[in-house]
Structure formats: structure tokens, C-alpha cells
Amino acid sequence: TYPAEACTHLGLQPPGRLWRKTSQAGRKGQAEKLLQWAKKRGVRIGGSLIETIEDGFGEGRSAEDPFDALLGLLSMVDVSLGMREEGMPHDYDLRVVEGWILGQKP
């Protein structure tokens, strides 16, 4: 998945417009929307992950990596729940040679 695109799947503004995912404050500012997304979908998030989300995944540039991973995971959950199409292209060569991104429109 592409983290910036996953943001739009989850109801967040794309990063770089009104917020930055490289910033703890930017990530922290998305916490409520992420938790609301989970509640709306019936996805249970454990206490320590809630704390991490609300904290903006901590300081430092490497904190962006687990944030990106969560965005990708939640976007894949959306596909699993049937809320988004899987995006698999109809063309055989694209599927097996070129590849495709789960949840991205073909």
C-alpha cells in the first residue's frame, strides 16, 4: 500500500497539505480520525496502540515508519471488510508481471 493514498482511504487529508507525517504533531493530529475510523468499522484497537496513536508515534523521523505501517494495515482491513475494492487489474500481465497495489483503483 502507499501510505499517502491509505490516508485518503481512512478519511484523512493527504499528508503534505494540512499536516506532515514526518512530524509527531502532524501524526498526533490524525489520531482522532484514525480512532473514529476504527470505531466506525468495528475494529478493536488495543490500549497500547491507542496510546501510541494518540502520542503521534513518538519523536524522531523513524516514528513515521510504524505510522505508515498502521495506515497500510488499516487500508488493507478496509479491503478485507469489503469497504473498498481490492483493485486487482483485469489484465493478466499486469497482475503477474507488473504487479498491483491492494486497494488501489486499477
Side-chain angles (χ1 to χ4, degrees), residues 6 10 23 25 46 48-49 55 57 64 68 76 83 86 88 104:
L10 304 172
S23 152
S48 62
L49 181 54
D55 183 50
F57 287 77
E64 180 184 357
D68 285 350
M76 289 186 280
M83 304 307 292
E86 65 181 8
M88 183 171 59
Q104 186 177 52

Side-chain angles (χ1 to χ4, degrees), residues 22-91:
T22 56
S23 152
Q24 182 180 11
R27 295 185 300 269
K28 196 174 194 176
Q30 305 310 305
E32 185 60 33
K33 288 182 182 176
L34 289 172
L35 296 173
Q36 286 299 318
W37 174 92
K39 183 177 180 180
K40 183 178 173 182
R41 296 292 193 254
V43 173
R44 291 179 53 199
I45 296 179
S48 62
L49 181 54
I50 290 173
E51 292 172 11
T52 300
I53 292 168
E54 290 175 339
D55 183 50
F57 287 77
E59 297 179 19
R61 220 164 144 77
S62 64
E64 180 184 357
D65 296 335
F67 179 74
D68 285 350
L70 179 67
L71 296 174
L73 173 64
L74 297 181
S75 180
M76 289 186 280
V77 167
D78 232 17
V79 172
S80 298
L81 293 174
M83 304 307 292
R84 292 191 55 75
E85 294 291 323
E86 65 181 8
M88 183 171 59
H90 300 291
D91 183 277

